[in-house]
Amino acid sequence: SRVISYECCPGYEKVPGEKGCPAALPLSNIYETLGVVGSATTQLYSDRSNLRPEIEGPGSFTIFAPSNEAWAALSAETLDSLVSNVNIELLNALRYHMVNKRVLTDDLKHGTTLNSMYQDLPIHIHHYPNGIVTVNCARLLKADHHATNGVVHVIDKVIATTTNSIQHIIETEESLETLRAAVAASDLNSLLESEGQYTLLAPTNEAFEKIPRETLNRILGDPEALRDLLNHHILKSAMCAEAIIAGLTMETLEGTTLDVGCSGEELTLNGKPIIANKDVLATNGVIHFVNELLIPDSAKTLFELAQESEVSKSMDLFRQAGLSSHLTGSEQVTLLAPVNDVFKDGLPVVDSNMKNLLLNHIVRDQLSSKYLYHGQKLQTLGDKELRVFVYRNNLCIENACIAAHDKRGRFGTLFSVDKMLTPPSGSVMDVLKADHRFSTLVAAIQSAGLTENLNRPGTFTVFAPTNEAFRAMPQGELNKLMGNAKELANILKFHVAEEILVSGAVSALVRLKSMQGDKLEVSMKNNVIHINKEPVAESDIMATNGVIYAVNSVLQPHASRPQERGDEPADPALEIFKQASALSKVSQRNPRLAPVYSRLLARMKENSGGF
């Protein structure tokens, strides 16, 4: 919830009858200004520690003054240690909040370091793109309150001196013992003690203990995976908690990103409220303690990748088939895993055939989808060769199209696909001959002399009429068609395109040029493929030289429906007839056109063998 309140800026006051706060007050010194801007506690402690004469006197100072709430938020132990020794501890603490010159917000650039008035120890400034300014990770609340001897900025925390690097804090913090050993094993010590500005999301001992022992031992024993794991916890710049806001994406040293959200009052990383202790400042950055390990994809096995994806049912299949060793070891493979929706009616029975099929979902070599290209051949563990098809709206391997961004693990890559893959087996003719639904079509192809065409290497899409489709034709028309080899070949060629189009590439409408020359229109309606507005009975029957769609009707080329054509020459006799008909009507009104009409009739007789 938000509360909007209106108050005069410090140094201004209201005037009865006037809008806003138009009256400017005379400037006061820093000590008096502290009481006006909401930092009366700082004013009080300045008096007790004998800092008051300095900030009342001549000079040009900047003080980052903790608000009253900031002092109240200190632990009793910390506050007691300060006020019990006001002349040393409290005075030094206050002088660390001061700079011996006037510094306005325009001077508070990101990454700036200011020398404090306590032993010149540095004060770290961060100015983030969202407009937030922090001073040693304390947020700037009220800025640029001018005084006669300087300027006052109000901050939301009491800041402490920083003298230790990130590495030194790891070495001395008991709750980071496991992290300490991991950093040493990965040779990141020098980075974390070097100059720079980093953010370490430091996993506590508790975070490591939550990981299954087998997984943790595997990562700790693999130098590359361990380094990726630790780099995934290091950000490239210092990010104080005040600057980490919901909706932010932060880039890690590994090159991956972490998504920031919120759950109630708590910040979340990748959806989990895991930040346990914020803003432990170091000389070279800031540390946030986290109570869960953030394992990057690059340190995971394929099975671990799948646990966070929509392919858990596929993993059950591979496990039942005894193929886990391929997905958990150091074998470099790419897994084509169907998404869970593919198995909404239940998992198939795992027998020898299913095991062989699943082996053909595992491709040799660790691939990345962005490097796949059209026509590429992939070898599977089942010794099958799979083809890659690149379309305008999809990337497919055989009939299965990639449904999500691939996840690249330590040794394997996970491709989530939209269906079970069907490896090709035999040419188009081999597939048609092996399926009893196409016996009439096979006979027709042989009769038309097209067998060799559909056996040769190529890229065909065949819309194959089933026996039912031929039976649906009038018997006389069917007999006539089967008895005319030339016409039969023409009809059959209209059912074949010389490019491969799998169903996953069809969105609204795709047009293919048939071997006969006319266009075929392939569309998707209610998740059913249609060819020339006729529904397809079965899609994606894969062959080594193409793909087959079973259709329950014989498609008619446009030449059989001349009235629908406008882009091809029509029958000469028909054109003559149309002209003759038109001229007949005109000649009745205009005698001079009668000879032209007579000549057209003569041409019709010549073309028709007598009309």
Side-chain angles (χ1 to χ4, degrees):
S1 61
R2 290 179 181 165
V3 176
I4 300 175
S5 61
Y6 297 90
E7 59 183 43
C8 290
C9 294
Y12 291 85
E13 66 179 3
K14 292 183 178 181
V15 174
E18 298 286 337
K19 291 183 178 180
C21 306
L25 299 173
L27 287 180
S28 303
N29 59 48
I30 286 178
Y31 178 78
E32 292 179 1
T33 302
L34 289 172
V36 176
V37 298
S39 191
T41 307
T42 304
Q43 185 185 48
L44 173 65
Y45 288 150
S46 299
D47 195 10
R48 287 189 185 181
S49 63
N50 292 323
L51 181 65
R52 177 175 177 175
E54 188 172 7
I55 60 177
E56 280 185 327
S60 182
F61 309 109
T62 297
I63 183 167
F64 296 102
S67 66
N68 297 333
E69 294 78 13
W71 287 105
L74 286 179
S75 67
E77 182 182 358
T78 302
L79 194 56
D80 286 345
S81 69
L82 291 173
V83 299
S84 64
N85 192 351
V86 292
N87 293 327
I88 299 177
E89 296 295 338
L90 185 58
L91 178 62
N92 291 341
L94 289 172
R95 288 178 69 81
Y96 182 63
H97 287 73
M98 295 178 63
V99 178
N100 198 14
K101 62 179 178 179
R102 188 185 300 264
V103 181
L104 301 177
T105 48
D106 285 345
D107 304 313
L108 299 178
K109 306 298 184 185
H110 187 70
T112 301
T113 300
L114 303 173
N115 292 328
S116 75
M117 290 176 62
Y118 174 60
Q119 298 181 359
D120 281 340
L121 289 176
I123 298 173
H124 300 283
I125 306 298
H126 294 99
H127 196 150
Y128 297 100
N130 57 16
I132 292 172
V133 178
T134 63
V135 180
N136 280 19
C137 285
R139 185 170 183 170
L140 192 64
L141 299 178
K142 298 179 180 179
D144 293 342
H145 298 298
H146 294 273
T148 56
N149 57 347
V151 63
V152 178
H153 304 290
V154 180
I155 57 178
D156 71 348
K157 293 188 184 81
V158 178
I159 62 176
T161 59
T162 58
T163 57
N164 296 323
S165 67
I166 292 175
Q167 178 62 29
H168 188 270
I169 294 172
I170 292 173
E171 289 174 353
T172 56
E173 177 60 50
E174 289 184 6
S175 65
L176 302 180
E177 184 180 356
T178 309
L179 176 62
R180 187 184 315 143
V183 168
S186 61
D187 293 327
L188 284 174
N189 311 59
S190 56
L191 173 74
L192 297 179
E193 63 187 5
S194 66
E195 291 185 6
Q197 287 293 299
Y198 303 104
T199 300
L200 173 64
L201 304 169
T204 60
N205 297 336
E206 177 190 352
F208 282 98
E209 289 166 2
K210 291 179 180 179
I211 301 301
R213 178 54 54 183
E214 182 181 353
T215 300
L216 185 58
N217 289 341
R218 176 182 60 77
I219 294 175
L220 293 177
D222 181 344
E224 186 172 334
L226 179 58
R227 193 173 185 86
D228 285 349
L229 171 72
L230 295 177
N231 283 339
H232 191 60
H233 289 76
I234 302 173
L235 307 183
K236 293 182 174 181
S237 59
M239 295 290 291
C240 297
E242 287 291 348
I244 303 175
I245 58 175
L248 183 68
T249 297
M250 303 185 298
E251 186 175 0
T252 71
L253 209 58
E254 192 214 1
T256 51
T257 56
L258 297 173
D259 295 322
V260 181
C262 62
S263 176
E265 295 295 319
E266 292 186 282
L267 282 174
T268 62
L269 290 176
N270 289 354
K272 298 177 181 178
I274 63 174
I275 299 177
N277 186 15
K278 300 181 289 185
D279 294 337
V280 178
L281 206 65
T283 55
N284 58 346
V286 62
I287 301 175
H288 306 296
F289 289 44
V290 295
N291 55 23
E292 285 197 29
L293 206 58
L294 302 167
I295 304 178
D297 287 351
S298 59
K300 294 178 181 177
T301 66
L302 280 168
F303 263 121
E304 289 164 353
L305 288 175
Q307 288 174 358
E308 300 172 6
S309 305
E310 291 295 315
V311 294
S312 57
K313 293 182 179 179
S314 288
M315 293 302 104
D316 290 340
L317 269 181
F318 285 102
R319 191 179 290 110
Q320 291 175 33
L323 300 177
S324 300
S325 61
H326 296 293
L327 311 179
T328 57
S330 58
E331 188 177 5
Q332 293 197 327
V333 294
T334 298
L335 177 65
L336 311 178
V339 296
N340 290 340
D341 283 350
V342 173
F343 307 108
K344 59 187 175 183
D345 296 327
L347 293 176
V349 175
V350 177
D351 53 18
S352 59
N353 289 333
M354 178 54 65
K355 182 175 181 177
N356 288 334
L357 178 59
L358 292 174
L359 276 171
N360 289 315
H361 283 72
I362 305 175
V363 176
R364 301 180 191 276
D365 296 327
Q366 187 175 15
L367 305 174
S368 172
S369 62
K370 63 184 177 183
Y371 295 118
L372 297 181
Y373 56 88
H374 192 74
Q376 186 177 358
K377 303 292 178 63
L378 309 176
Q379 296 294 326
T380 73
L381 295 188
D383 292 325
K384 290 287 187 179
E385 190 175 76
L386 306 179
R387 297 158 295 181
V388 176
F389 305 121
V390 179
Y391 299 105
R392 187 179 299 277
N393 64 330
N394 235 329
L395 174 62
C396 306
I397 299 172
E398 294 299 333
N399 60 307
C401 299
I402 296 176
H405 293 297
D406 39 301
K407 289 178 170 286
R408 188 176 179 86
R410 176 66 180 92
F411 296 106
T413 300
L414 175 67
F415 288 175
S416 299
V417 295
D418 62 354
K419 54 178 68 72
M420 286 291 284
L421 183 140
T422 307
S425 56
S427 67
V428 166
M429 279 306 296
D430 293 333
V431 174
L432 292 175
K433 287 177 181 178
D435 192 326
H436 64 88
R437 293 176 298 172
F438 303 117
S439 56
T440 305
L441 174 62
V442 169
I445 291 172
Q446 293 169 338
S447 176
L450 298 177
T451 304
E452 186 177 343
N453 276 14
L454 298 180
N455 262 330
R456 64 178 171 83
T459 54
F460 302 109
T461 296
V462 180
F463 298 96
T466 60
N467 296 341
E468 178 183 337
F470 285 103
R471 285 196 296 268
M473 293 180 66
Q475 190 60 45
E477 185 179 333
L478 178 61
N479 292 340
K480 182 180 177 182
L481 177 64
M482 292 300 188
N484 186 333
K486 184 177 179 181
E487 180 60 22
L488 179 59
N490 189 57
I491 290 287
L492 293 177
K493 286 180 179 179
F494 182 62
H495 289 74
V496 182
E498 290 192 275
E499 60 182 285
I500 295 178
L501 181 75
V502 298
S503 62
V506 181
S507 51
L509 177 67
V510 178
R511 302 186 78 204
L512 299 176
K513 184 178 180 180
S514 71
M515 289 178 68
Q516 177 261 356
D518 285 345
K519 293 284 187 180
L520 294 163
E521 293 188 348
V522 189
S523 59
M524 176 76 76
K525 296 177 183 176
N526 300 322
N527 294 321
V528 177
I529 296 290
H530 288 66
I531 171 64
N532 288 5
K533 300 181 181 180
E534 296 290 336
V536 166
E538 185 181 347
S539 303
D540 298 333
I541 305 170
M542 305 307 294
T544 54
N545 59 344
V547 60
I548 299 168
Y549 292 82
V551 292
N552 287 329
S553 59
V554 176
L555 307 176
Q556 295 297 322
H558 295 291
S560 301
R561 297 167 294 174
Q563 70 276 12
E564 296 181 8
R565 298 187 53 77
D567 59 344
E568 298 276 350
D571 186 286
L574 180 64
E575 289 301 307
I576 294 169
F577 177 78
K578 287 179 179 177
Q579 294 177 43
S581 177
L583 281 170
S584 168
K585 296 174 183 176
V586 175
S587 65
Q588 293 174 10
R589 299 192 299 271
N590 190 339
R592 288 180 299 173
L593 294 177
V596 178
Y597 176 55
S598 298
R599 286 196 298 273
L600 280 173
L601 286 177
R603 284 180 58 198
M604 286 180 65
K605 290 178 181 178
E606 293 172 6
N607 278 277
S608 62
F611 182 66

